[in-house]
Amino acid sequence: MYKIYNLLAVFLLTASSLFSQPCNITPRPKHIEYGTGFYYLPQKTNYSTNLKGQSGDWLRKILRQDKIQFRETFGKAPIRFRCTQNDLEAESYSLRIDASGIRIEAPSEKGLFYAWQSFLQLLPPPENGQYRLQFCHIQDAPRFSYRGMHLDVSRNFFDKNFIKKQLDVMAQYKLNRFHWHLTDGSGWRIEIPTYPELTHQSAFRPYPNWAAWYQGGRSFCSPEHPQAQGGYYSQEDINEIVQYATDRCIEIIAEIEMPGHSEAALSVYPHLACPGETTEKPNYCSGKEETFVFLENVLSHCAKLFPSSYIHIGGDEVDKTPWSKCPYCIQRMKEQNIKDPDHLQEYFINRMEGVLKKLGKKAIVWDEAIVGKLATETLVMCWRNASMGVQAVSQGQKVIMTPSEFCYLNSYQNAPPLEPLAMGGYIPLRKAYSFDPCMDMISNADKKKVLGLQACLWTEYIDTDSHAEYMLYPRLVALAECGWTDPERKSWPDFYRRALSIAESLKLSGYHSFDLRQEVEERSSADATRGNIAYNKPVHYKNKYHSKYPAAGDSSLTDGLKGGWHYGDLRWQGFLDTDIDLHIDLGVNTSISSIDTEFMQQKTQYVWLPKEVRFLLSEDGKEFRLLQSYSTNISANEERVIFNSYRWEGQATGRYIKLQALNRGIPGGWLFIDEIVVR
Ligand SMILES: [Zn+2]
């Protein structure tokens, strides 16, 4: 007995001293312990399993795709898969490599699948026809049950091969939900046999991409049109993708947008909009029964195609003004005793929840839908910001967190002037990795209502496969780790090390990943205090900055902190529909030799450079003399993100420095100004 204890002690000691060795499994597992010794696995080998029938076939199919050539045997084999229960929800697993071989155990097929993904990541390159595997024991389980990726195929269409290719990466990094944004204003992408016109008339556009369509008249065309661009998924395509995903333990959540974001359907069936509707963003009419008949038929078809118990029914960004003017909607509000259009949306969503219930399904909605009461089983997908999650949870709903500032992968991942045009925002890898879906939840009970997270890819400015992959990777992998790994097991330096090689291996496998080595530093890391005479000096505003973008308030422009790559970082100060007119009081007459500031332009977000910038100087604060004025010669139509410097140089003395910047005068246009540096 003594001997055994002694041996065990030696083993444990070795194990703990090896514990700090890097682990190359992503997402990082819950628990991994290394032992001393190696198991040599031949490239051609046998496996055994207790899975039978369909489950056995599934395992055979999964194993067929990998680097090892397998043969199933009965009895002892180098690799053994054992399913211990038939718990459909469980995703945990245990993976042990020791002198007796590789033992994989899990309470479910999902667990076996994830164990296999971890195992594949452990495989070194083979030497002499075999793999050298260090002894180890991994026990792993995900932090969240919902770990999703979303793809918008309405703005621009992506074909089924592209989808399957991305499902492969999702599976590899243990993501388990694919949210398929199948309909929106700019294209209907799912074949509905009862309504063939939908895909015949609004799945194609006579424009090369979304941007050209959006700016050029927003019309659709038939697939036969000579300039037709776009596409849709036939029932066969969808069956094929659903099977492909199911094999990889990924559930597909189909989204049919309603009542807003429905221009594509309404262009085919204008009678489903409110009568006389001329706004740019029409909705389905909530007063007409035909609307509900149509949507019920569409959802019934989806319920048959998609095995998931959830269907996403949108609910976001509804412009409700048409409803308040429509006689049908007004009549509906009267009959149902509905007090305003917000509650008409509640009525709309509640009716669709009822339809789904009848079909044996449950709803997922975007967070705007919490203006009304929702069915308890409805999940809320929180995108506007994390506080929407807090609100939804306090209303008793379960949530999926996808706040745009961390999870919208259509945002820039690197210095915007160096990048292909994107929607806006700035989410470098490190920021994506810092995301915690529970961060704003106060109590543990609230945290339990957070089912997980989702990365979203909206495709307004993404019209090629390679660009979509460029935006997804490696940031998707960072979010995959946020969804799987417990916060105390996360480590940015360790993840960054793995991300470099993940990006590299994705490239080798034919994915167009962003090259992390090209990443440049955050702009705001520059020091603006050194030699800055204006540092901490008071600023007086004639026209106030906007309450939405105050940055640090009155002290912001002289606090020594430069703005970053995104105006929303609380360092850039924003002015809406107004000029900037302010002065800095240096306290005493001071000799100065330069004044610097910067503005930015980001047309996609209605942010423009000023038409003109003036620097003025005064000794008494009353009489100002012009030092210099600059007209901006960059066009307001320039779509690239531009940071433009304005600098005066010379010799002058004064106490008050005035800066005036003239707004372009485009309604809804912003000016964003950075730190003012005086030397
Ligand atoms: Zn109406």
Side-chain angles (χ1 to χ4, degrees):
M1 199 64 191
Y2 170 74
K3 245 183 184 168
I4 292 173
Y5 274 128
N6 221 4
L7 262 175
L8 195 68
V10 170
F11 176 77
L12 286 176
L13 200 72
T14 332
S16 62
S17 63
L18 281 166
F19 183 72
S20 55
Q21 85 181 62
C23 162
N24 288 324
I25 298 172
T26 304
R28 200 172 184 205
K30 221 178 182 59
H31 181 79
I32 178 162
E33 202 175 304
Y34 292 96
T36 45
F38 295 89
Y39 183 76
Y40 292 85
L41 177 74
Q43 273 185 287
K44 285 184 187 172
T45 189
N46 299 335
Y47 76 95
S48 66
T49 177
N50 65 340
L51 292 179
K52 294 189 176 69
Q54 275 189 344
S55 300
D57 293 343
W58 164 77
L59 185 64
R60 207 167 300 127
K61 193 152 74 170
I62 291 309
L63 297 178
R64 202 182 298 144
Q65 301 149 25
D66 293 308
K67 307 170 200 166
I68 305 173
Q69 289 178 33
F70 277 116
R71 222 179 45 206
E72 190 178 347
T73 53
F74 302 95
K76 207 166 179 313
I79 304 184
R80 282 157 282 167
F81 293 90
R82 205 165 80 88
C83 189
T84 55
Q85 294 164 41
N86 197 16
D87 181 348
L88 294 179
E89 296 308 308
E91 296 181 300
S92 61
Y93 67 88
S94 148
L95 165 63
R96 192 185 288 275
I97 303 174
D98 59 23
S100 74
I102 295 131
R103 270 172 292 161
I104 289 171
E105 278 192 3
S108 67
E109 290 171 21
K110 285 179 190 166
L112 296 181
F113 183 78
Y114 293 135
W116 189 241
Q117 300 313 312
S118 294
F119 177 75
L120 290 174
Q121 293 185 31
L122 285 176
L123 281 184
E127 286 168 48
N128 307 322
Q130 56 185 10
Y131 295 102
R132 181 174 178 261
L133 293 160
Q134 187 175 352
F135 292 171
C136 69
H137 182 204
I138 299 170
Q139 277 175 303
D140 200 6
R143 180 180 181 204
F144 293 107
S145 61
Y146 189 112
R147 305 177 303 279
M149 173 186 135
H150 148 289
L151 180 68
D152 166 16
V153 294
S154 175
R155 277 14 177 275
N156 284 302
F157 180 71
F158 296 86
D159 70 14
K160 68 174 180 187
N161 293 324
F162 175 83
I163 309 257
K164 284 157 100 178
K165 192 178 168 198
Q166 314 320 312
L167 290 172
D168 286 342
V169 185
M170 286 180 66
Q172 205 175 344
Y173 297 104
K174 306 184 175 90
L175 291 165
N176 64 359
R177 298 288 195 293
F178 176 60
H179 171 178
W180 206 353
H181 189 75
L182 286 162
T183 76
D184 205 299
S186 35
W188 183 281
R189 308 296 185 191
I190 171 172
E191 180 187 33
I192 307 288
T194 335
Y195 303 107
E197 300 85 0
L198 283 170
T199 38
H200 195 78
Q201 295 173 29
S202 69
F204 294 86
R205 304 177 302 223
Y207 302 92
N209 54 33
W210 177 86
W213 172 82
Y214 193 77
Q215 286 154 17
R218 305 186 197 176
S219 64
F220 296 94
C221 65
S222 82
E224 292 84 33
H225 188 285
Q227 265 93 49
Q229 287 280 334
Y232 64 88
Y233 309 97
S234 68
Q235 294 183 74
E236 295 74 41
D237 291 339
I238 289 175
N239 289 335
E240 187 181 328
I241 290 171
V242 166
Q243 187 57 52
Y244 195 85
T246 309
D247 283 346
R248 286 156 185 77
C249 300
I250 296 168
E251 185 173 302
I252 297 195
I253 312 278
E255 180 179 0
I256 304 295
E257 263 277 16
M258 61 187 82
H261 285 283
S262 302
E263 300 93 311
L266 294 173
S267 76
V268 181
Y269 304 125
H271 63 280
L272 298 179
C274 298
E277 187 40 58
T278 52
T279 62
E280 274 192 357
K281 292 185 183 298
N283 305 319
Y284 291 109
C285 175
S286 282
K288 295 179 185 168
E289 276 307 296
E290 293 158 281
T291 295
F292 296 98
V293 173
F294 168 77
L295 290 170
E296 179 163 353
N297 288 338
V298 170
L299 291 178
S300 308
H301 183 67
C302 292
K304 279 181 238 146
L305 280 179
F306 297 98
S308 168
S309 53
Y310 288 97
I311 292 181
H312 200 306
I313 53 168
D316 60 317
E317 299 185 312
V318 185
D319 172 7
K320 293 158 193 145
T321 36
W323 286 351
S324 54
K325 292 182 229 150
C326 162
Y328 298 93
C329 289
I330 292 170
Q331 180 64 21
R332 174 81 73 193
M333 289 197 270
K334 241 190 231 162
E335 275 168 22
Q336 298 287 328
N337 207 9
I338 294 168
K339 61 178 179 190
D340 55 30
D342 271 350
H343 289 82
L344 188 55
Q345 158 132 341
E346 177 184 23
Y347 167 85
F348 191 110
I349 297 287
N350 290 164
R351 259 190 90 162
M352 299 323 294
E353 286 174 329
V355 167
L356 289 176
K357 195 167 186 174
K358 220 168 64 185
L359 295 166
K361 303 281 184 186
K362 293 176 273 188
I364 304 183
V365 292
W366 294 110
D367 63 47
E368 284 93 333
I370 57 175
V371 292
K373 192 150 174 40
L374 297 169
T376 325
E377 72 267 20
T378 296
L379 304 184
V380 179
M381 200 169 259
C382 302
W383 73 276
R384 285 179 293 177
N385 52 56
S387 68
M388 289 299 142
V390 178
Q391 199 184 323
V393 159
S394 74
Q395 286 175 223
Q397 305 301 138
K398 289 186 177 157
V399 299
I400 297 151
M401 299 304 293
T402 179
S404 56
E405 65 163 315
F406 292 96
C407 298
Y408 274 28
L409 301 187
N410 40 304
S411 301
Y412 289 102
Q413 61 193 318
N414 193 19
L418 305 177
E419 292 295 295
L421 186 67
M423 179 59 116
Y426 174 61
I427 308 179
L429 185 71
R430 187 177 189 144
K431 176 149 192 188
Y433 189 73
S434 73
F435 180 51
D436 179 352
C438 287
M439 61 189 170
D440 289 328
M441 302 294 156
I442 315 293
S443 70
N444 282 335
D446 283 355
K447 285 178 183 162
K448 283 203 183 97
K449 291 192 175 145
V450 179
L451 299 187
L453 59 74
Q454 181 169 281
C456 289
L457 192 67
W458 299 98
T459 58
E460 280 90 345
Y461 296 96
I462 301 171
D463 57 4
T464 62
D465 290 2
S466 61
H467 190 193
E469 290 177 357
Y470 178 86
M471 300 307 270
L472 285 171
Y473 308 118
R475 288 183 296 179
L476 181 70
V477 184
L479 288 171
E481 182 146 313
C482 299
W484 182 279
T485 306
D486 292 331
E488 59 276 14
R489 295 279 296 158
K490 281 172 69 187
S491 152
W492 164 248
D494 182 63
F495 177 74
Y496 186 73
R497 173 187 67 79
R498 284 177 281 134
L500 284 167
S501 63
I502 288 169
E504 201 55 42
S505 80
L506 281 168
K507 276 198 166 170
L508 289 172
S509 313
Y511 292 85
H512 191 80
S513 168
F514 170 63
D515 183 353
L516 268 182
R517 291 164 305 182
Q518 304 297 318
E519 192 176 6
V520 303
E521 223 176 318
E522 201 3 338
R523 194 177 170 278
S524 56
S525 54
D527 176 17
T529 58
R530 216 156 40 90
N532 181 359
I533 304 166
Y535 178 47
N536 277 340
K537 295 293 190 299
V539 181
H540 301 274
Y541 293 84
K542 195 167 167 200
N543 302 326
K544 200 74 174 170
Y545 42 86
H546 195 270
S547 58
K548 207 172 156 195
Y549 293 103
D554 285 3
S555 62
S556 189
L557 300 181
T558 53
D559 63 3
L561 300 172
K562 292 276 287 177
W565 293 120
H566 181 46
Y567 58 79
D569 67 355
L570 304 176
R571 290 185 171 192
W572 288 88
Q573 202 161 56
F575 294 76
L576 177 63
D577 288 325
T578 180
D579 299 330
I580 297 176
D581 191 337
L582 57 82
H583 70 261
I584 301 169
D585 182 357
L586 297 177
V588 288
N589 277 325
T590 311
S591 159
I592 63 169
S593 58
S594 69
I595 310 171
D596 288 275
T597 192
E598 280 185 85
F599 285 82
M600 75 183 296
Q601 178 155 314
Q602 192 166 356
K603 188 187 171 220
T604 56
Q605 298 295 315
Y606 269 63
V607 176
W608 276 282
L609 291 170
K611 197 159 59 185
E612 191 182 328
V613 174
R614 296 182 198 134
F615 293 124
L616 303 97
L617 189 66
S618 166
E619 293 183 3
D620 58 8
K622 291 180 192 111
E623 296 289 318
F624 280 87
R625 63 192 173 91
L626 182 68
L627 292 175
Q628 201 156 345
S629 77
Y630 305 84
S631 328
T632 301
N633 53 17
I634 293 164
S635 160
N637 289 322
E638 179 56 69
E639 291 211 303
R640 283 176 305 134
V641 176
I642 295 164
F643 294 82
N644 208 35
S645 310
Y646 297 84
R647 177 179 176 85
W648 165 80
E649 265 185 320
Q651 283 301 326
T653 302
R655 172 175 165 180
Y656 303 93
I657 296 168
K658 189 192 274 279
L659 181 146
Q660 294 174 324
L662 307 187
N663 192 295
R664 293 262 191 186
I666 301 166
W670 290 89
L671 287 175
F672 274 94
I673 183 172
D674 195 6
E675 191 73 5
I676 301 170
V677 178
V678 181
R679 290 192 170 102

